[in-house]
Amino acid sequence: MSRNVLAGLMMAMAFSVGCRRSSEPAKSAGPGSLLHPATLEEQAPATYRVRFSTTKGDFVIAVTRAWAPLGADRFYNLVKYGFYTDASFFRVLPGFVVQFGISARPDVSAAWKDATIPDDPVTQSNLRGTITFATAGPNTRTTQVFINLADNAKLDSMGFAPFGKVIEGMDVVESLYSGYGEGSPQGNGPDQARITAEGKSYLDQNFPKLDSIKSAEFVIAASQPKSDSKETK
């Protein structure tokens, strides 16, 4: 079974906190960086937050590295170097998951296809709002993630290890366009192989109502003392 089929079994986290941009926002990577996954292996902080600005609004994910260190590190690097910019939410199944993480650029998708990371132990349950990497079996995680739209604890025993939570904007996540249903070949939604090969142009031409990511940036809690952060203009 392909990674894209099993990737449908994934989820994310939720509760609310006011946030502001960090003094070190996510960097917009040059093509060379995203085309060389082996060079993007920085260790993530113990905790960090990411604001996703989408065509439906914003949501914030709080990542706790101790939950799934390898997953948290991979997500950190993908965000930092702009991997998720323009990526679409290609699989939205109400009451189950929202899935994304195929690059809008075919050349970038090709570069990351085999950039797998080992599995993390499952230390948290796949409850509503948690975010988890998609897999196609043991040790096959690359770039695709899903946010749980319900309590999907059944995924825990299958090796899906949450690494963070949606802490703000879960209503935005739940409002992402879901009208196309399950992906091909199980349903009439997008074919993940074609997204990988053709990029966002395939989705824009055939699934124009899909929502997408405008940007993903690191953020800090608004309650943190001003002396510890400087808002970027």
Side-chain angles (χ1 to χ4, degrees), residues 61-202:
I61 291 173
V63 177
T64 301
R65 188 173 185 272
W67 289 5
L70 298 178
D73 290 350
R74 170 55 60 88
F75 190 67
Y76 178 82
N77 283 279
L78 293 171
V79 169
K80 181 172 182 178
Y81 289 93
F83 180 92
Y84 293 116
T85 301
D86 294 329
S88 297
F89 299 97
F90 60 82
R91 186 170 185 261
V92 183
L93 304 179
F96 187 35
V97 300
V98 167
Q99 190 168 330
F100 63 99
I102 299 178
S103 176
R105 293 172 44 185
D107 58 338
V108 172
S109 290
W112 287 84
K113 179 181 178 182
D114 297 318
T116 59
I117 56 174
D119 292 336
D120 284 299
V122 179
T123 67
Q124 308 294 315
S125 185
N126 282 272
L127 302 180
R128 177 179 175 272
T130 54
I131 183 168
T132 306
F133 271 92
T135 79
N139 305 311
T140 57
R141 296 181 298 173
T142 54
T143 62
Q144 289 195 42
V145 295
F146 61 90
I147 296 174
N148 289 291
L149 296 179
D151 291 348
N152 294 312
K154 62 185 178 182
L155 299 180
D156 302 351
S157 62
M158 301 170 67
F160 294 103
F163 60 88
K165 279 181 157 183
V166 175
I167 60 168
E168 182 180 317
M170 191 63 186
D171 58 328
V172 173
V173 176
E174 293 176 325
S175 73
L176 296 170
Y177 187 76
S178 61
Y180 297 119
E182 182 61 276
S184 175
Q186 290 84 0
N188 296 318
D191 182 328
Q192 293 188 36
R194 289 195 63 183
I195 306 173
T196 300
E198 302 174 42
K200 198 168 186 296
S201 62
Y202 159 69

